[in-house]
Amino acid sequence: QVQLVQSGADVKKPGASVRVSCKASGYRFTGYYIHWVRQAPGQGFEWMGWINPNGGATNYAQKFRGRVNMATDTSINSVYLELTNLESDDTALYFCTRDTGSASGYDPWGQGTQVTVSA
Amino acid sequence: DIQMTQSPSSLSASLGDRVTITCRASQTISRYLNWYQQKPGKAPKLLIYVASTLQSGVPSRFSGSGSGTDFSLTISSLQPEDIATYYCQQSYNTLYTFGQGTKLEIK
């Protein structure tokens, strides 16, 4: 079945960087964009950006430009999110999700990766 | 950015009730509106896309309607497994913004 599996939880100090991985299976990896969305504790969703695994083009939300990087490794059907210069406000559950195309929503989602930023 | 506003923010209903959640966009988004269900500690699940198309495997008691700026999600007969938080999302432009969520509880 179509599935996205993310890396495990991570704890970082302020100013550090974090890298979250997302491995896809069950479909043609290069055929769909992957988006990253985060959810702070008790809050709604914040869109961070997308990457096209077919070629690596990216589009980042204005808020994160300069400290976010998304990359892909088609040899292992994986995408990566790197966020630098972490602050306590970056503590959140980070999700990767597949864009179904034609503006028809996200499906499926990864299980989420908890990133905690604490001194 | 397109702002999405859901109402109510929380809702208490009885099993078997008909439940409706609304979502309003700050500008017209045609029918590019999706609905998700999220249970505690879980990833969201796509329920409805392009305003009214039911995602495969989603029970038919869920339905969506609307266009332009005003949309709604309806559960025709509330079941225990429907207890969750529901989010709308616009996919009209590439900054896919979400509503703040509606938490559905049993009365």
Side-chain angles (χ1 to χ4, degrees):
Chain A
Q1 75 281 21
V2 177
Q3 195 174 6
L4 299 173
V5 178
Q6 299 181 221
S7 50
D10 209 342
V11 179
K12 296 293 185 182
K13 294 190 182 301
S17 300
V18 68
R19 189 186 195 223
V20 180
S21 67
C22 172
K23 183 174 177 60
S25 61
Y27 71 98
R28 185 171 61 90
F29 178 64
T30 54
Y32 298 85
Y33 287 31
I34 295 290
H35 293 233
W36 288 91
V37 176
R38 74 180 187 180
Q39 186 175 34
Q43 303 299 309
F45 297 103
E46 182 172 33
W47 179 78
M48 300 182 70
W50 56 251
I51 182 167
N52 180 359
N54 185 13
T58 55
N59 181 26
Y60 303 141
Q62 181 68 39
K63 173 179 179 177
F64 299 104
R65 287 177 191 171
R67 67 182 192 105
V68 68
N69 183 56
M70 297 177 189
T72 184
D73 185 342
T74 56
S75 69
I76 56 171
N77 288 359
S78 292
V79 296
Y80 303 91
L81 168 74
E82 182 179 32
L83 191 61
T84 63
N85 196 21
L86 292 168
E87 304 172 354
S88 58
D89 287 350
D90 293 315
T91 294
L93 192 55
Y94 288 74
F95 292 100
C96 62
T97 182
R98 186 183 74 158
D99 189 337
T100 57
S102 302
S104 297
Y106 295 151
D107 183 70
W109 294 58
Q111 82 276 20
T113 296
Q114 178 65 44
V115 174
T116 302
V117 183
S118 174
Chain B
D1 300 356
I2 300 175
Q3 307 301 318
M4 307 301 295
T5 304
Q6 288 181 235
S7 61
S9 56
S10 64
L11 176 57
S12 182
S14 301
L15 296 178
D17 280 355
R18 182 181 181 88
V19 171
T20 297
I21 298 167
T22 63
C23 179
R24 173 166 287 177
S26 60
Q27 66 181 73
T28 182
I29 56 170
S30 184
R31 291 177 57 81
Y32 294 111
L33 191 283
N34 311 307
W35 290 97
Y36 298 87
Q37 176 193 67
Q38 187 183 32
K39 297 183 178 180
K42 300 292 187 182
K45 172 186 174 182
L46 178 64
L47 297 177
I48 288 170
Y49 58 94
V50 196
S52 61
T53 303
L54 206 61
Q55 175 70 345
S56 176
V58 173
S60 59
R61 63 180 179 273
F62 290 92
S63 63
S65 65
S67 66
T69 60
D70 293 311
F71 301 85
S72 64
L73 170 71
T74 297
I75 307 173
S76 61
S77 177
L78 186 66
Q79 301 300 304
E81 60 268 31
D82 300 336
I83 300 311
T85 301
Y86 292 84
Y87 294 90
C88 63
Q89 176 208 32
Q90 63 82 17
S91 48
Y92 181 78
N93 65 19
T94 57
L95 203 167
Y96 294 172
T97 45
F98 291 83
Q100 80 279 14
T102 296
K103 187 174 183 179
L104 181 54
E105 298 172 324
I106 296 291
K107 188 182 294 183

